[in-house]
Amino acid sequence: MFSTLAVVTTVLVGVMVGVEFAVAFVMSRILNALPDDSRQLGHAHGGRMLGALMPVWYIGSLVLVVIWAIAGSDQDGIGLVVTAGGLLMLSVVMSILLLVPINNLNKTWTPENRPADWKEQLHRWERFHYVRVAVIIGAFTLLVSALV
């Protein structure tokens, strides 16, 4: 049962990393190549869609890592799991403090009501997102390392 928890947790975090990596390095580039109105509408739609899904995914992943750390407190590599949990906690805090406020604005914008600095705000979100992706890649790497 313990190894199933570890594998399921690692896979869940790994898929989350893949989604966030794709947002950072694929979807953003696609959307940013579109004309301004389409670009902004695409970012707003993505913000609404992923903004509803990702909090559950991030917090669920963190909860599973905490359960893993508690259940496996006597296992080899548990320090890696605890450190991964710390990184996932950092990613949640970053999300709440830095990314969600921008996303909450972005998802309500239309070409008619967006602020003059909408592009700068999206660029700021993207920079924060790159850092968050690096943090969750680090967490995922630690979880994989704890499995071997």
Side-chain angles (χ1 to χ4, degrees), residues 16-98:
M16 181 177 72
V17 166
V19 168
E20 294 290 37
F21 186 90
V23 167
F25 297 102
V26 178
M27 292 308 303
S28 287
R29 287 193 165 90
I30 291 169
L31 293 173
N32 290 343
L34 296 173
D36 281 352
D37 288 354
S38 298
R39 171 186 180 186
Q40 185 269 304
L41 288 170
H43 278 287
H45 179 67
R48 284 188 300 275
M49 189 179 89
L50 291 172
L53 170 67
M54 297 317 285
V56 175
W57 207 339
Y58 272 80
I59 293 168
S61 296
L62 178 58
V63 167
L64 287 173
V65 168
V66 168
I67 293 169
W68 178 359
I70 292 168
S73 61
D74 60 341
Q75 301 287 319
D76 289 338
I78 200 62
L80 298 171
V81 176
V82 171
T83 305
L87 289 175
L88 289 176
M89 177 59 80
L90 175 61
S91 74
V92 169
V93 170
M94 287 177 62
S95 297
I96 292 167
L97 295 179
L98 302 173

Side-chain angles (χ1 to χ4, degrees), residues 91-140:
S91 74
V92 169
V93 170
M94 287 177 62
S95 297
I96 292 167
L97 295 179
L98 302 173
L99 290 115
V100 169
I102 298 168
N103 188 59
N104 284 343
L105 295 172
N106 167 56
K107 67 185 183 182
T108 66
W109 294 337
T110 66
E112 294 77 30
N113 74 358
R114 66 186 179 218
D117 70 339
W118 69 275
K119 288 181 186 177
E120 291 79 18
Q121 291 190 51
L122 286 179
H123 285 305
R124 193 169 81 236
W125 183 93
E126 288 173 345
R127 286 190 307 273
F128 290 143
H129 184 65
Y130 292 142
V131 174
R132 180 175 61 180
V133 169
V135 168
I136 63 174
I137 286 172
F140 176 63

